Amino acid sequence: MGPDAFLRRVAETIRRHGMAAPGDSVLAAVSGGPDSLALLVALVELAPMLGLRVGAAHFQHGLRGEESEEDERFVRSVAERLGVPFRAGRWRERREGSRANLEEEARKARYSFLLETARSDGWTRVATGHTLDDQAETVLLRILRGTGIRGLAGIQPVRPDGVVRPLLEVRRQEVDDFLRKRGLVPRSDSSNRDPSRPRNRLRHELLPFLATFQPRVAERLALLAEAARGEAELEDWALGELRKTGLAEDERLPRKVLASLPGSVRLVLLRAWLLERRGHLRGLSARHWRALAALADRAGEIHLPGGGRVVREQEGLRYVTARVGGEAEDGGVPKVLSPGSVVEWVDGWVLEASEVSPYGSGRGRDLPRDLWEAVLDADGVGFPLEIRSFARGERVRPLNLGGSRKVSDVFVDRKVSRFLRSAWPVVAAAEGIVWIPGVVRSEVAKVTARTRRVVRIRAIGPG
């Protein structure tokens, strides 16, 4: 495939999936390897035709010493030659742990840097260099580890946060050919040759072996991912329909509704219903879904991974949230959050608080990115903070709005299902509610012109 054919394929992928429109600005994540280098060059060459502005960003994990430093210098020089803006970031908060945990932390840090850079610099899209081969490897790894429909969907062409994958329908060999014809020599990451890494073994051993049975095995796995995405979209549609019927606001999923449906449709409805109540579907295997579907026809209850269970009652199925520390099922034992600590809450919630730092030390990043973060005046609040469930009739004073409102009304406004509210964390101080993650920030300990020190707190929801 010639360079022009490669560019046509990439342009068609961008158009078909709605990855970018004329006037968009795309920040390419460039490690210096072949895929990301081809991504940047292709976007620059397609920019006039697609009406795009293109930039490059490089995140240095610092895991390979001087090799990592050389990667950054290489990407910077390529960006300068192409005449595109360049931003670099470094991983400065690395935690000790297993290699698998380290790689996951590195991935999170990389995406956090890319999305923060896009927000602060005004880029509307972040593009990564995932190829069809990456898609095939991801799907096969998930099959081997055990997964459901959403796991089989693999790498999303377009993520809800604006990350796009323009190379997702081209092969790695096509990337190499494109770079060779452009006279470009990419960097080589020595870790990609480490045979102890599962993805490397799969790439260099298992997929070539499977190709002796089916030469187009990578394309077949990518098609499987596309079909699974269609199933996941059907599930999302079913959830929308479930909300329209009012079943999403009922305490139980009626047995007669489930019993009237064919098996496959019953599973779609069950997944949509449980997603609405639990907030996520992590850890559920085919065994769990078979057992849940069978509850329509027999009595019993199913315990779910990570806590919580589905109980079959006379009227229908009911989801019961996790018990924490022997507390009642509608919430957890209150916990404390101090600067520098990480707290796990009910149903997979995690909250963490940064150490106290001088106001303004974040170089313009003191303001929270969204409602999943909050910054507090460290001198205007007493520590530790309390994490707990909200109390019936409790009120909150929303930031900069004046007056107070019932927490239950704020949940309604933010479209938080009442089945999720009992496990939703509330961060409170002696003066009242400080913050409800993803929902509302209050007047308590707000940052003002007089603030001298800040604490940043962040929440990761179960989804």
Side-chain angles (χ1 to χ4, degrees), residues 27 42 124 169 174 182 217 324 330 358 368 373 393 423:
L27 183 66
T124 58
E169 294 173 353
E174 295 169 335
R182 288 289 189 276
V217 61
V324 176
D330 59 351
E373 270 192 1

Side-chain angles (χ1 to χ4, degrees), residues 9-35:
R9 287 270 297 281
V10 175
E12 176 57 28
T13 298
I14 292 173
R15 290 193 187 100
R16 188 158 73 89
H17 295 285
M19 293 182 176
D24 274 332
S25 54
V26 183
L27 183 66
V30 187
S31 66
D35 300 341

Side-chain angles (χ1 to χ4, degrees), residues 153-185:
I155 301 169
Q156 296 174 283
V158 179
R159 291 193 346 179
D161 57 9
V163 174
V164 298
R165 280 71 184 247
L167 304 189
L168 201 56
E169 294 173 353
V170 298
R171 297 294 308 273
R172 196 170 285 136
Q173 183 59 54
E174 295 169 335
V175 165
D176 293 340
D177 293 343
F178 173 74
L179 293 176
R180 186 172 60 255
K181 289 170 182 176
R182 288 289 189 276
L184 297 169
V185 180

Side-chain angles (χ1 to χ4, degrees), residues 134-149:
D134 292 310
Q135 180 72 291
E137 292 162 10
T138 298
V139 172
L140 191 51
L141 273 173
R142 291 181 180 179
I143 290 173
L144 295 174
R145 292 169 179 168
T147 190
I149 288 296

